[in-house]
Amino acid sequence: MRGSVECGWGWGHCAPSPLLLWTLLLFAAPFGLLGEKTRQVSLEVIPNWLGPLQNLLHIRAVGTNSTLHYVWSSLGPLAVVMVATNTPHSTLSVNWSLLLSPEPDGGLMVLPKDSIQFSSALVFTRGSCC
């Protein structure tokens, strides 16, 4: 059929927009931890003292029984990581040497690891837009 577009999930012009994916990530994913009415929010810039100008922005939202960690990164393409924990005492650990290495596993961690209830990441890559 002329002019018709066959769409599959995540393909071509029918792919969901990054804004839609980010909205789902923020509002739909950690429903079990969103029941708290108030959270203490803090922002922290974590600079890389070892080399080139690269920073992380850590947004920490602490409730009575949980914490939401958002980490924005400018290392390579713009990216954000969200981690939800079931404790108000979870912390972010950054090891720049590992994070910038060819094998960055363990370079960015939320501790204690067993408190993590949900985690997700979104990378904003350059590309053609609709």
Side-chain angles (χ1 to χ4, degrees), residues 70-108:
Y70 297 92
V71 181
W72 287 87
S73 169
S74 61
L75 307 173
L78 181 63
V80 62
V81 175
M82 190 196 94
V83 179
T85 68
N86 64 2
T87 177
H89 306 291
S90 59
T91 59
L92 177 71
S93 170
V94 179
N95 180 326
W96 281 103
S97 297
L98 274 176
L99 191 59
L100 297 174
S101 74
E103 296 185 26
D105 189 33
L108 187 67

Short mmCIF file of all heavy atoms in Angstrom, two decimals, residues 70-108:
data_model
loop_
_atom_site.label_atom_id
_atom_site.label_comp_id
_atom_site.label_asym_id
_atom_site.label_seq_id
_atom_site.Cartn_x
_atom_site.Cartn_y
_atom_site.Cartn_z
N TYR A 70 19.24 10.34 41.26
CA TYR A 70 19.32 10.65 39.84
C TYR A 70 20.75 11.11 39.59
O TYR A 70 21.23 12.02 40.28
CB TYR A 70 18.36 11.76 39.43
CG TYR A 70 16.91 11.41 39.64
CD1 TYR A 70 16.25 11.72 40.82
CD2 TYR A 70 16.20 10.75 38.64
CE1 TYR A 70 14.92 11.40 41.00
CE2 TYR A 70 14.86 10.43 38.82
CZ TYR A 70 14.24 10.76 40.01
OH TYR A 70 12.92 10.43 40.19
N VAL A 71 21.43 10.50 38.64
CA VAL A 71 22.80 10.89 38.32
C VAL A 71 22.84 11.27 36.85
O VAL A 71 22.60 10.44 35.98
CB VAL A 71 23.80 9.75 38.61
CG1 VAL A 71 25.22 10.21 38.31
CG2 VAL A 71 23.69 9.28 40.06
N TRP A 72 23.11 12.55 36.58
CA TRP A 72 23.26 13.05 35.22
C TRP A 72 24.74 13.07 34.89
O TRP A 72 25.56 13.49 35.71
CB TRP A 72 22.69 14.46 35.10
CG TRP A 72 21.20 14.49 35.15
CD1 TRP A 72 20.41 14.54 36.26
CD2 TRP A 72 20.31 14.45 34.04
NE1 TRP A 72 19.09 14.54 35.91
CE2 TRP A 72 19.00 14.48 34.55
CE3 TRP A 72 20.50 14.39 32.66
CZ2 TRP A 72 17.89 14.46 33.72
CZ3 TRP A 72 19.40 14.37 31.83
CH2 TRP A 72 18.10 14.40 32.37
N SER A 73 25.07 12.63 33.68
CA SER A 73 26.47 12.52 33.29
C SER A 73 26.71 13.18 31.95
O SER A 73 25.89 13.09 31.04
CB SER A 73 26.87 11.04 33.19
OG SER A 73 28.13 10.91 32.58
N SER A 74 27.86 13.83 31.83
CA SER A 74 28.27 14.39 30.55
C SER A 74 29.45 13.60 29.98
O SER A 74 30.14 14.07 29.09
CB SER A 74 28.64 15.86 30.71
OG SER A 74 29.71 15.99 31.61
N LEU A 75 29.70 12.41 30.49
CA LEU A 75 30.76 11.56 29.96
C LEU A 75 30.24 10.93 28.68
O LEU A 75 29.33 10.11 28.72
CB LEU A 75 31.12 10.44 30.94
CG LEU A 75 31.47 10.85 32.37
CD1 LEU A 75 31.61 9.63 33.25
CD2 LEU A 75 32.73 11.67 32.36
N GLY A 76 30.75 11.31 27.54
CA GLY A 76 30.21 10.82 26.28
C GLY A 76 28.86 11.46 26.04
O GLY A 76 28.64 12.63 26.36
N PRO A 77 27.90 10.70 25.50
CA PRO A 77 26.56 11.28 25.29
C PRO A 77 25.88 11.57 26.64
O PRO A 77 26.15 10.90 27.63
CB PRO A 77 25.80 10.19 24.53
CG PRO A 77 26.70 9.03 24.39
CD PRO A 77 28.00 9.34 25.04
N LEU A 78 25.02 12.57 26.64
CA LEU A 78 24.28 12.91 27.85
C LEU A 78 23.50 11.70 28.33
O LEU A 78 22.84 11.02 27.54
CB LEU A 78 23.32 14.07 27.56
CG LEU A 78 22.48 14.56 28.73
CD1 LEU A 78 23.37 15.12 29.84
CD2 LEU A 78 21.50 15.61 28.26
N ALA A 79 23.60 11.39 29.61
CA ALA A 79 22.93 10.20 30.15
C ALA A 79 22.43 10.50 31.56
O ALA A 79 22.96 11.37 32.25
CB ALA A 79 23.89 9.02 30.19
N VAL A 80 21.40 9.77 31.95
CA VAL A 80 20.89 9.87 33.32
C VAL A 80 20.63 8.45 33.83
O VAL A 80 20.20 7.58 33.10
CB VAL A 80 19.60 10.73 33.40
CG1 VAL A 80 18.47 10.13 32.60
CG2 VAL A 80 19.18 10.93 34.85
N VAL A 81 20.96 8.25 35.09
CA VAL A 81 20.72 6.98 35.77
C VAL A 81 19.79 7.29 36.93
O VAL A 81 19.97 8.29 37.64
CB VAL A 81 22.03 6.37 36.31
CG1 VAL A 81 21.77 5.12 37.13
CG2 VAL A 81 22.98 6.07 35.17
N MET A 82 18.77 6.46 37.13
CA MET A 82 17.90 6.60 38.28
C MET A 82 17.95 5.31 39.09
O MET A 82 17.84 4.23 38.54
CB MET A 82 16.46 6.86 37.87
CG MET A 82 15.62 7.25 39.09
SD MET A 82 13.87 7.14 38.79
CE MET A 82 13.58 5.50 39.38
N VAL A 83 18.14 5.46 40.41
CA VAL A 83 18.17 4.31 41.30
C VAL A 83 17.25 4.62 42.48
O VAL A 83 17.36 5.67 43.09
CB VAL A 83 19.60 4.02 41.81
CG1 VAL A 83 19.61 2.84 42.77
CG2 VAL A 83 20.55 3.79 40.65
N ALA A 84 16.35 3.70 42.77
CA ALA A 84 15.44 3.84 43.92
C ALA A 84 15.84 2.80 44.96
O ALA A 84 16.03 1.63 44.64
CB ALA A 84 14.00 3.61 43.48
N THR A 85 15.98 3.25 46.20
CA THR A 85 16.35 2.34 47.29
C THR A 85 15.28 2.34 48.37
O THR A 85 14.46 3.27 48.45
CB THR A 85 17.69 2.74 47.94
OG1 THR A 85 17.54 3.98 48.63
CG2 THR A 85 18.79 2.87 46.90
N ASN A 86 15.30 1.33 49.22
CA ASN A 86 14.32 1.23 50.30
C ASN A 86 14.87 1.69 51.64
O ASN A 86 14.41 1.27 52.69
CB ASN A 86 13.79 -0.21 50.40
CG ASN A 86 14.87 -1.20 50.78
OD1 ASN A 86 16.02 -0.83 51.00
ND2 ASN A 86 14.52 -2.47 50.83
N THR A 87 15.85 2.58 51.61
CA THR A 87 16.40 3.14 52.84
C THR A 87 16.70 4.63 52.66
O THR A 87 17.09 5.04 51.56
CB THR A 87 17.69 2.41 53.27
OG1 THR A 87 18.23 3.04 54.43
CG2 THR A 87 18.73 2.41 52.17
N PRO A 88 16.53 5.42 53.69
CA PRO A 88 16.88 6.84 53.59
C PRO A 88 18.39 7.06 53.76
O PRO A 88 18.85 8.19 53.69
CB PRO A 88 16.09 7.49 54.72
CG PRO A 88 15.92 6.40 55.73
CD PRO A 88 15.81 5.12 54.94
N HIS A 89 19.15 6.00 53.95
CA HIS A 89 20.58 6.13 54.24
C HIS A 89 21.47 5.69 53.08
O HIS A 89 22.69 5.58 53.26
CB HIS A 89 20.92 5.31 55.49
CG HIS A 89 20.08 5.67 56.66
ND1 HIS A 89 20.17 6.88 57.31
CD2 HIS A 89 19.09 4.99 57.28
CE1 HIS A 89 19.28 6.93 58.28
NE2 HIS A 89 18.61 5.79 58.29
N SER A 90 20.92 5.43 51.89
CA SER A 90 21.74 5.00 50.77
C SER A 90 22.60 6.16 50.27
O SER A 90 22.23 7.32 50.38
CB SER A 90 20.88 4.44 49.65
OG SER A 90 19.96 5.40 49.19
N THR A 91 23.75 5.82 49.72
CA THR A 91 24.70 6.83 49.25
C THR A 91 25.22 6.45 47.86
O THR A 91 25.16 5.29 47.46
CB THR A 91 25.91 6.95 50.21
OG1 THR A 91 26.56 5.68 50.29
CG2 THR A 91 25.48 7.41 51.59
N LEU A 92 25.75 7.44 47.17
CA LEU A 92 26.36 7.23 45.86
C LEU A 92 27.87 7.20 46.04
O LEU A 92 28.45 8.05 46.71
CB LEU A 92 25.97 8.37 44.91
CG LEU A 92 26.59 8.31 43.52
CD1 LEU A 92 25.97 7.16 42.71
CD2 LEU A 92 26.41 9.63 42.79
N SER A 93 28.50 6.21 45.42
CA SER A 93 29.95 6.09 45.45
C SER A 93 30.48 6.21 44.02
O SER A 93 30.00 5.52 43.12
CB SER A 93 30.34 4.73 46.04
OG SER A 93 31.71 4.49 45.87
N VAL A 94 31.46 7.09 43.81
CA VAL A 94 32.05 7.29 42.49
C VAL A 94 33.54 7.02 42.56
O VAL A 94 34.25 7.60 43.38
CB VAL A 94 31.82 8.74 41.97
CG1 VAL A 94 32.46 8.93 40.61
CG2 VAL A 94 30.34 9.05 41.92
N ASN A 95 34.01 6.13 41.72
CA ASN A 95 35.43 5.85 41.56
C ASN A 95 35.79 6.29 40.14
O ASN A 95 35.55 5.56 39.19
CB ASN A 95 35.71 4.36 41.78
CG ASN A 95 37.17 4.02 41.63
OD1 ASN A 95 37.89 4.60 40.83
ND2 ASN A 95 37.61 3.05 42.41
N TRP A 96 36.35 7.50 40.02
CA TRP A 96 36.62 8.07 38.70
C TRP A 96 37.59 7.22 37.90
O TRP A 96 37.46 7.10 36.68
CB TRP A 96 37.14 9.49 38.83
CG TRP A 96 36.05 10.47 39.08
CD1 TRP A 96 35.73 11.06 40.27
CD2 TRP A 96 35.11 10.98 38.13
NE1 TRP A 96 34.65 11.90 40.11
CE2 TRP A 96 34.26 11.86 38.80
CE3 TRP A 96 34.90 10.76 36.77
CZ2 TRP A 96 33.23 12.54 38.16
CZ3 TRP A 96 33.88 11.43 36.13
CH2 TRP A 96 33.05 12.31 36.83
N SER A 97 38.59 6.63 38.54
CA SER A 97 39.56 5.81 37.81
C SER A 97 38.85 4.65 37.12
O SER A 97 39.11 4.36 35.95
CB SER A 97 40.62 5.26 38.76
OG SER A 97 41.36 6.31 39.31
N LEU A 98 37.95 3.99 37.84
CA LEU A 98 37.19 2.89 37.24
C LEU A 98 36.18 3.40 36.21
O LEU A 98 36.05 2.83 35.13
CB LEU A 98 36.43 2.12 38.31
CG LEU A 98 37.15 1.00 39.03
CD1 LEU A 98 36.27 0.41 40.12
CD2 LEU A 98 37.58 -0.08 38.06
N LEU A 99 35.48 4.47 36.55
CA LEU A 99 34.43 4.99 35.68
C LEU A 99 34.96 5.40 34.31
O LEU A 99 34.29 5.21 33.29
CB LEU A 99 33.74 6.18 36.36
CG LEU A 99 32.46 6.69 35.74
CD1 LEU A 99 31.39 5.61 35.69
CD2 LEU A 99 31.94 7.90 36.50
N LEU A 100 36.17 5.92 34.26
CA LEU A 100 36.75 6.37 33.01
C LEU A 100 37.60 5.30 32.31
O LEU A 100 38.13 5.54 31.24
CB LEU A 100 37.61 7.62 33.25
CG LEU A 100 36.85 8.84 33.76
CD1 LEU A 100 37.80 9.96 34.10
CD2 LEU A 100 35.80 9.28 32.76
N SER A 101 37.70 4.13 32.91
CA SER A 101 38.51 3.06 32.34
C SER A 101 37.72 2.31 31.25
O SER A 101 36.50 2.46 31.15
CB SER A 101 38.94 2.08 33.43
OG SER A 101 37.85 1.28 33.83
N PRO A 102 38.40 1.49 30.46
CA PRO A 102 37.70 0.69 29.43
C PRO A 102 36.68 -0.29 30.03
O PRO A 102 35.75 -0.69 29.36
CB PRO A 102 38.83 -0.06 28.73
CG PRO A 102 40.05 0.74 28.99
CD PRO A 102 39.84 1.36 30.34
N GLU A 103 36.88 -0.67 31.29
CA GLU A 103 35.92 -1.55 31.98
C GLU A 103 35.42 -0.83 33.23
O GLU A 103 35.95 -1.03 34.32
CB GLU A 103 36.59 -2.88 32.32
CG GLU A 103 36.99 -3.66 31.08
CD GLU A 103 37.54 -5.03 31.41
OE1 GLU A 103 37.18 -5.58 32.47
OE2 GLU A 103 38.33 -5.53 30.60
N PRO A 104 34.37 -0.01 33.08
CA PRO A 104 33.93 0.87 34.17
C PRO A 104 33.05 0.21 35.24
O PRO A 104 32.56 0.90 36.13
CB PRO A 104 33.15 1.95 33.43
CG PRO A 104 32.61 1.26 32.24
CD PRO A 104 33.66 0.25 31.84
N ASP A 105 32.87 -1.10 35.19
CA ASP A 105 32.02 -1.78 36.16
C ASP A 105 32.49 -1.47 37.58
O ASP A 105 33.66 -1.66 37.91
CB ASP A 105 32.04 -3.29 35.91
CG ASP A 105 31.02 -4.02 36.76
OD1 ASP A 105 29.94 -3.45 37.02
OD2 ASP A 105 31.30 -5.17 37.16
N GLY A 106 31.59 -0.98 38.41
CA GLY A 106 31.93 -0.63 39.79
C GLY A 106 32.36 0.82 39.95
O GLY A 106 32.61 1.25 41.08
N GLY A 107 32.44 1.58 38.87
CA GLY A 107 32.85 2.97 38.96
C GLY A 107 31.77 3.88 39.54
O GLY A 107 32.06 4.92 40.11
N LEU A 108 30.52 3.47 39.43
CA LEU A 108 29.38 4.23 39.94
C LEU A 108 28.48 3.25 40.67
O LEU A 108 27.94 2.32 40.05
CB LEU A 108 28.64 4.89 38.78
CG LEU A 108 27.53 5.87 39.09
CD1 LEU A 108 28.08 7.11 39.76
CD2 LEU A 108 26.80 6.24 37.81
#
